[in-house]
Amino acid sequence: MKIWFKIWENTHLLKSETIEDNTEDTRTHKIFHALEEVCLKWDLGKPIWFDANIAEFQRHARTRFGKDNFVEETEFDYLEIQVIDED
């Protein structure tokens, strides 16, 4: 599975990272592990998954985490996560 993470501000892409996970873990665990990895790499707090994020991710394999999803202040508009290759 490949998961693409992007940080956006004012329609400008600030950061981009693709994380690949070829383990036998579940899809959900792969997503959570990749999210944790990118948050550590970019020194971000882990975002809170709201019901809207979960529903959007289940429908489209992508979602956006805005400022409201983070406990800490962010210097960007949103963090986007998208599955670009399933196992």
Side-chain angles (χ1 to χ4, degrees):
M1 170 181 281
K2 287 184 186 176
I3 306 168
W4 190 11
F5 296 89
K6 298 173 267 187
I7 288 184
W8 295 89
E9 183 176 11
N10 296 327
T11 69
H12 296 285
L13 179 64
L14 300 179
K15 291 184 181 182
S16 175
E17 181 80 25
T18 301
I19 297 184
E20 192 168 349
D21 188 339
N22 295 318
T23 65
E24 295 297 318
D25 219 343
T26 65
R27 181 178 192 262
T28 302
H29 284 123
K30 288 179 182 184
I31 292 161
F32 287 152
H33 290 147
L35 181 59
E36 185 173 338
E37 184 178 330
V38 82
C39 285
L40 285 172
K41 184 173 186 171
W42 289 346
D43 194 29
L44 300 174
K46 285 192 269 182
I48 300 166
W49 288 79
F50 296 138
D51 290 341
N53 298 108
I54 294 168
E56 181 181 30
F57 198 80
Q58 288 172 337
R59 279 193 310 270
H60 306 292
R62 72 185 302 166
T63 192
R64 293 179 176 180
F65 297 108
K67 293 183 180 290
D68 291 344
N69 294 91
F70 293 90
V71 174
E72 302 86 8
E73 185 73 24
T74 62
E75 298 179 6
F76 53 86
D77 292 334
Y78 60 88
L79 166 66
E80 185 175 351
I81 176 176
Q82 177 181 1
V83 175
I84 55 175
D85 185 26
E86 294 275 351
D87 292 336

